[in-house]
Amino acid sequence: MKLENFSKLTYSILSANMAEKNNNVMIKNSWVLANLCANLQNFDKFTLEENQNILSMILSYCNSSKEKLVSNGYRALGYYISNNKDDCLVKVMNFESSKSQEIANSLNETYLKSFASLSVKVCWNVCVSFANILKNYKPGFMKIFYREEILDNMLTILTSKNNFKTYIHCVDMLTLAFDNFPDNKIFRELPKILCEIYFSAEEGKIDATELRYLPHLKSSVNNMIIKLLSGNNEQFFHVIAGEIMSQFP
């Protein structure tokens, strides 16, 4: 079976299963949807209406009250936007249908939720999702979708979740965000937060289950700090230098 036919068949099954109330079916459906979006490189084989339906399915999972569905929903959303073509995404956002306004409103709010109240697993999937969008930046789509408050909200993940894996994914995502939005105000707050995370991440002060993530965490923080300093911003330099000196009274 050709990939295009397989994708269409998978889409039909996923659409039919959206009416299911069985939790196991919903979890498997959301997982398959995320994997379909991860492995497809060409969504223009679907009609605009089908693309809207795919996006609508994804957003319904993102807005679920069930953790596994939410995690898979964000995974799917990041891959769908990352792997799609910019002009296709713009057409999907502007395509007139009964779902258009509902999709636009839901998408605009997807990264503005109160992430501090969600689990660490959901939060790191949110960060990976947005990182995927930033890796394959779509200027036309981002002009419609992006709002400055998104990064403000993402920063709450870094300040509210005491979990190394979540820190790593959040810092890696913010490193990508700095390439595209270096003037966002959160980057003036970030040096102090990063230094606090770095110096508090000492082996004697953390749970043993977190130790395996420590080298990766320190590497991610180092990369972000280097990126901030590479812009020759004096404010970043003085904040980071001050935080380092405070560790050696």
Side-chain angles (χ1 to χ4, degrees), residues 121-175:
K121 183 174 182 179
V122 169
C123 285
W124 78 56
N125 276 298
V126 168
C127 293
V128 171
S129 170
F130 198 66
N132 282 332
I133 293 172
L134 294 171
K135 279 177 192 173
N136 292 302
Y137 192 89
K138 308 290 194 303
F141 169 77
M142 291 298 277
K143 188 175 180 180
I144 300 170
F145 159 72
Y146 178 73
R147 287 149 66 176
E148 194 171 79
E149 309 94 276
I150 289 176
L151 291 184
D152 285 309
N153 201 42
M154 289 294 194
L155 193 62
T156 65
I157 294 177
L158 201 60
T159 57
S160 66
K161 301 299 176 186
N162 185 19
N163 176 269
F164 281 11
K165 189 173 180 180
T166 307
Y167 284 160
I168 290 165
H169 288 306
C170 193
V171 172
D172 289 347
M173 177 273 297
L174 290 172
T175 303

Side-chain angles (χ1 to χ4, degrees), residues 30 33-35 37-38 58 71-81:
S30 65
L33 179 59
N35 287 336
C37 293
I58 291 170
S71 289
N72 285 331
Y74 275 100
R75 284 180 57 235
L77 183 58
Y79 289 131
Y80 175 77
I81 296 171

Side-chain angles (χ1 to χ4, degrees), residues 39-234:
N39 289 286
L40 265 185
Q41 300 297 321
N42 196 345
F43 285 88
D44 58 8
K45 298 299 182 184
F46 293 99
T47 66
L48 288 177
E49 186 174 4
E50 287 170 337
N51 265 281
Q52 273 203 338
N53 287 337
I54 291 170
L55 188 51
S56 182
M57 285 191 285
I58 291 170
L59 292 170
S60 72
Y61 288 131
C62 290
N63 293 322
S64 172
S65 60
K66 300 179 185 297
E67 179 182 309
K68 288 184 179 179
L69 300 185
V70 177
S71 289
N72 285 331
Y74 275 100
R75 284 180 57 235
L77 183 58
Y79 289 131
Y80 175 77
I81 296 171
S82 176
N83 290 340
N84 215 327
K85 293 180 179 177
D86 195 17
D87 62 338
C88 181
L89 290 169
V90 171
K91 287 176 183 176
V92 168
M93 295 296 288
N94 292 323
F95 180 60
E96 291 188 11
S97 75
S98 58
K99 290 185 176 181
S100 293
Q101 194 56 52
E102 179 186 336
I103 287 173
N105 292 340
S106 182
L107 186 58
N108 285 338
E109 296 300 319
T110 303
Y111 291 98
L112 293 174
K113 291 181 182 180
S114 177
F115 294 129
S117 63
L118 300 179
S119 72
V120 292
K121 183 174 182 179
V122 169
C123 285
W124 78 56
N125 276 298
V126 168
C127 293
V128 171
S129 170
F130 198 66
N132 282 332
I133 293 172
L134 294 171
K135 279 177 192 173
N136 292 302
Y137 192 89
K138 308 290 194 303
F141 169 77
M142 291 298 277
K143 188 175 180 180
I144 300 170
F145 159 72
Y146 178 73
R147 287 149 66 176
E148 194 171 79
E149 309 94 276
I150 289 176
L151 291 184
D152 285 309
N153 201 42
M154 289 294 194
L155 193 62
T156 65
I157 294 177
L158 201 60
T159 57
S160 66
K161 301 299 176 186
N162 185 19
N163 176 269
F164 281 11
K165 189 173 180 180
T166 307
Y167 284 160
I168 290 165
H169 288 306
C170 193
V171 172
D172 289 347
M173 177 273 297
L174 290 172
T175 303
L176 290 168
F178 186 73
D179 290 334
N180 294 292
F181 312 107
D183 297 325
N184 190 290
K185 65 181 181 180
I186 72 154
F187 295 112
R188 295 194 293 272
E189 306 169 42
L190 197 55
K192 181 176 174 60
I193 296 169
L194 291 175
C195 288
E196 287 173 353
I197 289 173
Y198 189 94
F199 288 114
S200 66
E202 297 177 8
E203 294 186 24
K205 297 181 180 179
I206 60 177
D207 189 278
T209 58
E210 295 265 69
L211 278 176
R212 60 180 172 148
Y213 297 113
L214 185 58
H216 191 168
L217 173 60
K218 291 198 169 187
S219 175
S220 292
V221 172
N222 282 337
N223 289 339
M224 181 78 248
I225 289 175
I226 290 168
K227 181 151 285 194
L228 291 171
L229 291 175
S230 67
N232 294 319
N233 188 307
E234 269 192 46

